[in-house]
Amino acid sequence: MMKLRTRRALALAGSAVALSVALTGCSALNGILGGGSGDADRDEDTGQVTESANIDIFSLKLGDCIMESATGLLEDIDVVPCAEAHDQEVYYEITMDDGDFSEEDVDAASQECIGDAYTSFVGVAYDASALNVTTIAPTKDTWEGLNDRVIQCIIFDPAGQTTGSLKGAAK
């Protein structure tokens, strides 16, 4: 079990770096081409997505259910109501303190995604779970140019799409 835990922790850190690199290029591309449609239609009371939409990556919110990008790049993102089949769900957010950008600090903070926040959301500890986690994290460019301080923790089932929230899934 120790090898699996180490591999999964390294995979989380690697995913954070890969997504950070993807966002760096995409934020510049979005500025030039204009990506996403801003935000999705949302329920006034709950804030949940009510209709599928392609949104700007910075409009992604806690509780949103998303489709995996066909390209692997995050220039914009498809959100769907969580009652529909989807690939991933934003289940936790971490707001970093102001200061100079540090990739090491972002990576260290991202570890919260597989700690108590994960256990509280899923109902079992990350090490005992069949589910996986990735992150969307600030890059040096988004930190400095867009005041981006939010790390979004994203949960998914490697077995395939899910319907409904994974909150309390206990698997």
Side-chain angles (χ1 to χ4, degrees):
M1 187 67 167
M2 186 57 121
K3 275 188 176 178
L4 179 60
R5 180 177 179 196
T6 302
R7 268 195 354 226
R8 287 176 83 187
L10 290 174
L12 175 63
S15 294
V17 171
L19 283 171
S20 293
V21 169
L23 277 175
T24 299
C26 295
S27 64
L29 190 61
N30 272 346
I32 296 167
L33 301 176
S37 62
D39 200 359
D41 290 334
R42 296 179 180 277
D43 181 273
E44 287 182 29
D45 297 326
T46 65
Q48 295 296 303
V49 171
T50 58
E51 194 172 313
S52 299
N54 179 264
I55 63 171
D56 179 274
I57 191 66
F58 292 102
S59 296
L60 190 63
K61 294 178 178 38
L62 184 63
D64 282 355
C65 292
I66 57 181
M67 302 303 291
E68 189 172 315
S69 168
T71 64
L73 300 176
L74 294 177
E75 37 198 64
D76 51 29
I77 200 155
D78 293 327
V79 294
V80 298
C82 290
E84 295 179 13
H86 56 274
D87 298 313
Q88 303 170 335
E89 178 180 357
V90 180
Y91 73 94
Y92 188 68
E93 292 182 329
I94 303 156
T95 302
M96 301 285 296
D97 291 332
D98 286 333
D100 292 334
F101 176 79
S102 164
E103 191 170 323
E104 294 78 22
D105 290 348
V106 170
D107 288 344
S110 295
Q111 294 302 307
E112 282 184 49
C113 293
I114 58 172
D116 291 341
Y118 184 92
T119 304
S120 294
F121 185 80
V122 176
V124 297
Y126 180 75
D127 291 342
S129 176
L131 304 173
N132 279 330
V133 171
T134 190
T135 62
I136 298 175
T139 65
K140 184 173 178 59
D141 288 343
T142 63
W143 185 279
E144 293 173 354
L146 300 172
N147 199 33
D148 182 14
R149 302 292 186 270
V150 177
I151 298 168
Q152 291 177 309
C153 304
I154 309 214
I155 192 167
F156 64 97
D157 189 335
Q161 290 187 329
T162 58
T163 303
S165 176
L166 290 171
K167 183 177 178 82
K171 66 177 192 171

